[in-house]
Amino acid sequence: MAEVTSTKLNPESHLLLDQPLLRLPAELSRKNFKSAALHVEHDRKALLGTLKATANDSLAGRKSASESLDSLDTMINRMRNLKRKMEGFHEEERTIHRQTRARLEHLHDLYRIPSLADVQYDEWSRVRLNRLLVDYLLRSGYGESAAALAKEKRIEDLVDLDIFVQCHRVEESLRGKSTNECLAWCSEHRELTRKTHSTLEFELRLQQYIELRRRGQLAEARHHAQRYITPDSETINPEVHRAAGLLAYPPETKVEPYKTMYSSSRWDFLSKLFVKTHHELFSLPGRPLMHIALSAGLSALKTPSCHSKYASSSSNASSTTTTVCPICSTELNELARNLRHVQHNKSSVEHDPIVLPNGRVYGRERLLEMSSKAGLEEEKVKDPTTSEVFDASQIRKVFIS
């Protein structure tokens, strides 16, 4: 019964890591629908206004028949352009639906697997691992490698290539000291960024202002501030005051906070702020999913003794034994050092536990057997972890209560 319980698959716990898999398509679908609705509403108002004006002018005799026909042709062309835009939105919606269907099917496969020991679980886990690797590559800026891996493993619909490639492109443009692409992104997503009270666009406009002041274009800097910075004085008052004070200090100033405002490190700050805003907007985790999964796995396996000075690992010179614990391995020991260990409610002990004078507990039968194999006298026992040798009379029996 214990074996069945330990290998039983709990899909709900597995899906905690896969929430972004469905959140992002939902966000993209909502964004696509709103964009289409805005285009329809904008063109509808323009067409109705033009139609009404043309009809009134024709009835009043202010337009000739040919001029009225030209106005109608203009409206028809506008409707054709709207139709092309709607076809683009429709194609994007179909892509989102295809990806959503593939992702739902992938997650549903988990509910068809009865046990962790089932071969189907191994196959599903490989697909997930490939997804995590693609996610990690995309976040690290290796878009081509991520696309190649996704294509090779046939998981294009299970990963978000386009979103991360666009994010990386804008991020790199900011590191290259250009605000154009990021401002265009802010303009496209202005309604959503305002709802989240993001300061990204303000910081970009402030950086433009700083660059104008750096080049000595004081008149242009003042005009820019009046247009883009001053309107935010009620919500971001301290930053607006600092921006005003910047006019009195040259780029080589040593006075804070103006020295920091002129610093090139602001571009790095802007790139990180953009990535943070982008991920929050699309409900993406701030860290790679690989990091989250690895941290959870390492913490689940880690015990207090894994980083003891007597821990059994190939990297520990004090150890005289070997272990199959993955956390004690050379590859993972340092990686897991700063992670917390989980609290295990169940533990297993030997049927005949004893305690040595140094406080370490072992099974009596196995300890005597190991001491005998080590070539010790019959009245001696050796601690397999610390290599200390004690008299057999010094060991005490332990009673589990």
Side-chain angles (χ1 to χ4, degrees), residues 205 221-232:
R205 295 299 185 185
R222 283 194 295 267
H223 176 72
H224 181 87
Q226 289 171 356
R227 183 176 180 183
Y228 296 112
I229 297 178
T230 306
D232 290 309

Side-chain angles (χ1 to χ4, degrees), residues 209 213 218 243-250 253 258 262:
Y209 169 80
R213 175 63 185 89
L218 299 183
L246 195 71
L247 290 173
Y249 293 89
T253 183
Y258 308 108
Y262 279 121

Side-chain angles (χ1 to χ4, degrees), residues 351-394:
H351 66 282
D352 54 348
I354 54 94
V355 61
L356 295 176
N358 60 7
R360 306 188 73 86
V361 178
Y362 299 97
R364 179 187 179 88
E365 183 179 338
R366 293 184 63 185
L367 182 64
L368 293 175
E369 182 182 353
M370 291 177 64
S371 299
S372 176
K373 289 181 178 180
L376 296 181
E377 300 176 11
E378 187 175 347
E379 297 299 322
K380 299 289 184 179
V381 293
K382 181 180 180 180
D383 187 327
T385 301
T386 65
S387 299
E388 296 176 88
V389 178
F390 302 98
D391 291 331
S393 59
Q394 292 180 282

Side-chain angles (χ1 to χ4, degrees), residues 35-65:
S35 298
L38 285 173
H39 278 84
V40 170
E41 184 63 20
H42 180 264
D43 285 351
R44 184 187 71 84
K45 289 181 179 179
L47 286 169
L48 288 177
T50 304
L51 182 60
K52 184 177 180 180
T54 301
N56 291 337
D57 290 344
S58 297
L59 290 174
R62 291 190 292 269
K63 273 190 176 182
S64 64

Side-chain angles (χ1 to χ4, degrees), residues 233-246:
S233 59
E234 294 184 1
T235 56
I236 318 178
N237 199 25
E239 291 295 329
V240 174
H241 287 172
R242 288 176 191 148
L246 195 71

